[in-house]
Amino acid sequence: MWRTTTISHLLMLLLSFLLAIVATSSSTTIRTSRLLNDQQQQQQQQQQQQQQQQQQQQQQQNGVAAASSTPPSTGITPPSYSDKAATARWLVHNTNWGTISTISSRGQTHGKPFSNIASFSDGPPGQSTGKLYFLRSALDASMIDIQHNDAVSFAVSEAQTGYCQGKDIDAEDPRCARLTLSGRLKVVASQDEIKIAKDAIFTKHPGMKGWYSDEKEDDAMGDHDFKFWKLELEEIWLVDFFGGPAIISPEAWNRGTDKEGVTAILPDSIASDSNYTQVGSESSSSSYRAIPDNYWLIMAVAFVGISTAAFVLGRSTTRRHSLNTDSSFQKLHKVNDLELEENCARTSTIVFN
């Protein structure tokens, strides 16, 4: 048994070392191919920019307003995936719509989940407040549900920024950040906060200005009864890398970073022009959520360590079991010898008597 266990562990160690060698060579190949791919992407992006500039010049010459087809976030550099709160705050500030889910109170869908598109804002550009504001009509299906149950979930995706498409990452890939905010949707009641909500919404959604009026009779949308709403957060759920979701605490969300001791949120830590880099620049040449080049080497080393620990533990356990077995046999022999001596003594006593 001990020999079989030793041989199996030695085979595991040998396999681990071979895997480490292969991983080391493959990581070098991957790194080289990534550099080549980055260079090709940069060249393609530069060519696209040149073509767009030429198209814009032609449109301007023809008197047509030039409209860029490239998303403004093509060269964006999000926060590090290791800082979950910063990523979540950045994602909210750099998107302006999402999917709101309620519990339906209507017709055949009563009691079932219902999802709807909702425009929102957490503040003017570069002035993230951490509070999500909405402008919704009382006739909207989601708002009808809210009157019966104000519990909602609101989801946004990094794919909305164009970042994931630029890195050829699918929206369902864990490296394409997705955020779900759960809580209660409440109407904004105070006039002071209505001013804040108006500033937040109308700077990002100027087309909504005609939907709302402080005086109901002046409402440009008639009796649609548009009101400002805010999401009171209860849970902040984020996936932005492999390893499962992160639940972000309200304290970290309010700070805008996982780092403790930070008392103020710097706008450029979550949303600022400094986060937008020119396409083809060094900071945009590689994905900040890319699998590390030495990923497989790290996994191989970890496997070697686990195998070694298992080998040592298995060997010590086998040896301990062997010692315990020998000790048990020795005790058993001693007991048998004592019993034999006692039986002989009793037999001698009976015979002599």
Side-chain angles (χ1 to χ4, degrees), residues 143-349:
M143 295 301 103
I144 295 174
D145 296 339
I146 293 298
Q147 303 303 321
H148 297 82
N149 185 348
D150 61 0
V152 302
S153 288
F154 187 69
V156 293
S157 170
E158 194 174 22
Q160 298 167 230
T161 68
Y163 174 82
C164 301
Q165 295 89 327
K167 298 298 182 182
D168 196 23
I169 300 175
D170 189 80
E172 215 171 310
D173 190 303
R175 292 169 294 174
C176 185
R178 54 185 185 266
L179 175 69
T180 299
L181 305 170
S182 300
R184 304 281 173 175
L185 199 64
K186 302 291 185 180
V187 67
V188 179
S190 70
Q191 291 299 319
D192 291 339
E193 192 169 12
I194 287 177
K195 292 180 180 179
I196 296 174
K198 288 170 64 176
D199 188 35
I201 289 290
F202 294 154
T203 52
K204 287 189 176 180
H205 305 277
M208 287 184 166
K209 289 182 179 180
W211 301 2
Y212 175 82
S213 174
D214 293 323
E215 300 296 334
K216 187 175 181 180
E217 56 271 16
D218 296 333
D219 190 350
M221 299 297 290
D223 57 354
H224 286 68
D225 193 16
F226 276 88
K227 293 180 180 178
F228 288 102
W229 299 77
K230 62 181 178 180
L231 180 58
E232 294 184 353
L233 297 175
E234 294 179 353
E235 184 183 74
I236 305 163
W237 182 95
L238 174 74
V239 169
D240 67 342
F241 201 68
F242 303 102
I247 304 299
I248 301 170
S249 68
E251 294 79 13
W253 172 268
N254 292 331
R255 290 194 305 264
T257 177
D258 291 341
K259 300 175 183 177
E260 298 182 359
V262 178
T263 57
I265 298 174
L266 299 177
D268 60 359
S269 68
I270 50 179
S272 174
D273 291 340
S274 63
N275 279 335
Y276 291 83
T277 57
Q278 295 296 323
V279 175
S281 65
E282 181 180 356
S283 58
S284 64
S285 62
S286 61
S287 170
Y288 84 110
R289 296 195 188 98
I291 298 176
D293 294 331
N294 58 350
Y295 175 79
W296 295 111
L297 177 60
I298 295 173
M299 296 298 294
V301 172
F303 187 72
V304 170
I306 294 173
S307 300
T308 304
F311 171 75
V312 174
L313 180 62
R315 186 171 182 178
S316 61
T317 302
T318 304
R319 181 174 296 178
R320 191 182 302 111
H321 178 72
S322 177
L323 292 174
N324 291 337
T325 303
D326 293 341
S327 177
S328 299
F329 276 119
Q330 290 176 1
K331 291 180 180 179
L332 182 61
H333 284 306
K334 288 181 179 179
V335 170
N336 290 337
D337 291 342
L338 290 175
E339 290 179 353
L340 181 61
E341 290 177 1
E342 291 178 357
N343 291 334
C344 289
R346 290 176 182 173
T347 303
S348 298
T349 302

Side-chain angles (χ1 to χ4, degrees), residues 100-117 136-149:
I100 190 169
S101 299
T102 58
I103 300 300
S104 176
S105 60
R106 299 160 285 102
Q108 296 181 351
T109 61
H110 187 278
K112 299 178 181 179
F114 176 77
S115 297
N116 201 354
I117 297 299
R136 307 291 290 182
S137 167
L139 302 182
D140 182 81
S142 300
M143 295 301 103
I144 295 174
D145 296 339
I146 293 298
Q147 303 303 321
H148 297 82
N149 185 348

